[in-house]
Amino acid sequence: MSLRSLLLLSTLLLAALSGEAKIVKPKTPTTPPEQLLHEAERAYRAYQFDAAKTALNKYIVAHQRRTPSLPDSVAMLQEQIARAERMYGAADELHVVDSTLISMTRLAELLPQGAGRFLVAAQMPEELRARLALPTSEGDSLHPESPSFPFVGFVDALGRNCLIPEGRALAWFAPAGRSWEPQGVGIKTLEADAPLRAPFLLEDGMTLFFARRLPSGLGGYDLYMTRLTEQGNSFFEATLLGMPYNSPYNDYLLAYHESEGWGILVSDRFAPAGQVHLYRFTGRPAFLSAREGGQTAELSEEEAFRRASLSGVLFESQADSVQQVTQREVKAELTFHLQGSVVYHRWADFKTEEGRRTFAEAQALNETLAGEVTRLGQLRSRWSKADASTRGELRSEILLLEATVQQKTQQYRDLLNTVRRHEGVR
């Protein structure tokens, strides 16, 4: 074989060997940009802000490979995530005493009413009904198929003021004889094309809550608060409320009945389409007090999430249970033996804010205690039927729970005595 043939054969062998040794790596699947944006929105609604920011940054990089300009909605979502993350670290501890999931169509029927009333169109004063420009269904940001919000106006407890949202403004009426006359009061415009919903005037006649959908919020409808100026003919610029009053979902209504010490929050957070969570809480909200809201930095992640989102506090009751709450006598709200023959039956019976707040804390502790007593009974029943090996394991758990029940029982009694001291019992 000639030298030329040997060289040719060597070249062919080397080429074959190099071809066999070459490893072909599988291509990494590419996530579509739209899916990354969906992941960011989903993580944001789950209060997973780091995951939301990561997915959104990946979306921006993938999107800018095709076009340098980003949709305005992306920049708005970035701002909302940053805003929500700040609020998450300073969420109020809201004491929810009962709550339920109901259809939006039944909200007007089941909403507990107190210091004033939210009204549907048929309940508005006759001479004001013609002014109602009933809102068309705009489609909520997360639940576009949700029914329209039912309330079109609000009348305070003494019938002194009637408030009707009219687009981006608020029409304010006061009684004049048998009719209602407009007052020269309006909210400073916050944003174009941002209709106002569910105005609620606090019993001081100056503090106003309402819902509005703005890019400067957290998403969907958000809750705002404002107050009348000293002149009484206009409002200060409204303030966006923090968590847990607001969320990445639609937060429609906030009412607080100051004389009775309880409030209502209506939101569709974590709710199926067409339904809302109705939360009833006690205690004065932190934003109405001089003190600041609680910091969650020292809380566990589970507790911080519960506080900011109200997740886990819901009693999964039926709408009929809310109907019972709205129709029951006020005197049946509570039973607290103060001293001698003096028994409190209403939140309004408390003379001090400290007494009311401490009693609410005692009620919450008593609910926890009742659950642990039930659990203790179940463990004892299991122990009586168990074999010797299982009884050893149950015994330790029973002893620990017995000690816990005893300790919390004493704490409950101490709290009730503290309430009595706040209320003037010596």
Side-chain angles (χ1 to χ4, degrees):
M1 183 178 292
S2 66
L3 180 61
R4 183 177 179 182
S5 299
L6 288 173
L7 290 173
L8 180 60
L9 181 60
S10 299
T11 302
L12 292 173
L13 288 172
L14 288 172
L17 289 172
S18 63
E20 292 176 1
K22 185 177 180 180
I23 299 175
V24 179
K25 296 183 179 179
K27 292 184 178 180
T28 304
T30 303
T31 304
E34 293 72 19
Q35 183 177 336
L36 291 169
L37 181 58
H38 178 70
E39 289 177 3
E41 293 171 341
R42 183 173 55 190
Y44 174 50
R45 294 194 292 269
Y47 292 76
Q48 298 170 357
F49 303 124
D50 288 339
K53 289 186 290 187
T54 299
L56 191 58
N57 289 336
K58 289 181 179 180
Y59 165 80
I60 292 172
V61 171
H63 182 86
Q64 289 182 332
R65 287 172 182 163
R66 298 184 298 182
T67 174
S69 61
L70 288 171
D72 293 340
S73 59
V74 174
M76 184 173 69
L77 180 58
Q78 279 183 311
E79 294 173 359
Q80 288 173 342
I81 292 172
R83 194 174 297 118
E85 198 169 19
R86 291 192 298 271
M87 290 183 177
Y88 187 85
D92 288 351
E93 174 64 19
L94 195 65
H95 178 56
V96 176
V97 293
D98 51 43
S99 55
T100 192
L101 183 67
I102 63 174
S103 169
M104 178 75 92
T105 57
R106 298 197 68 191
L107 182 60
E109 172 190 353
L110 301 176
L111 181 75
Q113 302 272 16
R117 293 188 62 83
F118 292 95
L119 305 177
V120 298
Q123 296 170 324
M124 291 296 296
E126 182 65 33
E127 64 270 28
L128 299 183
R129 203 174 302 170
R131 293 184 60 102
L132 298 179
L134 297 182
T136 58
S137 178
E138 302 166 347
D140 294 329
S141 61
L142 300 179
H143 295 152
E145 66 275 27
S146 294
S148 298
F149 192 70
F151 302 116
V152 297
F154 173 81
V155 174
D156 68 1
L158 299 179
R160 301 167 302 179
N161 302 285
C162 180
L163 284 62
I164 303 176
E166 293 186 341
R168 295 184 291 111
L170 181 69
W172 186 298
F173 299 87
R178 295 183 178 180
S179 62
W180 292 80
E181 292 186 355
Q183 304 298 300
V185 177
I187 294 177
K188 181 179 178 181
T189 299
L190 301 179
E191 188 81 12
D193 302 323
L196 183 151
R197 295 284 181 268
F200 175 85
L201 189 66
L202 207 62
E203 290 163 73
D204 62 8
M206 300 182 64
T207 306
L208 180 73
F209 304 143
F210 63 93
R212 206 170 208 173
R213 185 193 303 172
L214 294 169
S216 57
L218 298 187
Y221 281 96
D222 293 293
L223 295 166
Y224 291 81
M225 180 182 76
T226 184
R227 287 190 173 93
L228 278 171
T229 60
E230 293 181 1
Q231 292 75 20
N233 57 1
S234 64
F235 283 102
F236 291 107
E237 186 169 356
T239 301
L240 178 71
L241 296 181
M243 292 182 179
Y245 314 100
N246 280 317
S247 71
Y249 297 79
N250 291 294
D251 305 293
Y252 292 109
L253 180 151
L254 177 66
Y256 178 64
H257 309 299
E258 196 162 22
S259 62
E260 298 181 8
W262 63 277
I264 293 291
L265 174 65
V266 176
S267 172
D268 70 2
R269 63 189 72 182
F270 309 121
Q275 294 187 306
V276 291
H277 287 311
L278 192 157
Y279 303 93
R280 192 169 72 106
F281 62 89
T282 60
R284 186 177 178 83
F287 61 82
L288 290 176
S289 305
R291 62 184 178 86
E292 296 293 329
Q295 296 292 320
T296 61
E298 298 180 358
L299 299 176
S300 67
E301 180 57 33
E302 180 181 355
E303 174 63 17
F305 174 69
R306 183 202 65 79
R307 176 179 291 194
S309 68
L310 297 182
S311 176
V313 304
L314 180 70
F315 300 118
E316 295 288 355
S317 56
Q318 298 297 321
D320 290 341
S321 66
V322 181
Q323 183 70 25
Q324 294 169 7
V325 171
T326 62
Q327 292 182 346
R328 67 188 177 185
E329 295 280 341
V330 175
K331 66 181 181 182
E333 283 191 353
L334 57 91
T335 300
F336 173 56
H337 178 225
L338 181 70
Q339 184 184 36
S341 60
V342 180
V343 180
Y344 285 1
H345 293 293
R346 299 177 301 170
W347 288 102
D349 290 337
F350 289 93
K351 302 180 184 70
T352 65
E353 177 63 28
E354 293 81 4
R356 183 187 297 119
R357 186 166 54 245
T358 306
F359 184 74
E361 183 181 348
Q363 279 192 317
L365 177 62
N366 196 37
E367 290 174 6
T368 302
L369 182 59
E372 291 177 344
V373 169
T374 300
R375 170 67 177 161
L376 183 58
Q378 293 170 344
L379 289 174
R380 286 170 173 166
S381 177
R382 286 175 55 192
W383 184 89
S384 65
K385 300 174 184 178
D387 54 31
S389 60
T390 306
R391 282 186 173 185
E393 298 176 1
L394 291 174
R395 182 175 182 274
S396 299
E397 190 173 354
I398 289 172
L399 290 175
L400 180 61
L401 193 53
E402 283 177 341
T404 301
V405 167
Q406 183 178 5
Q407 180 185 21
K408 289 188 176 180
T409 299
Q410 186 58 49
Q411 289 176 352
Y412 176 65
R413 291 170 181 165
D414 291 343
L415 282 172
L416 293 183
N417 287 331
T418 301
V419 174
R420 294 183 177 100
R421 288 196 297 272
H422 284 316
E423 294 297 293
V425 177
R426 301 300 175 190

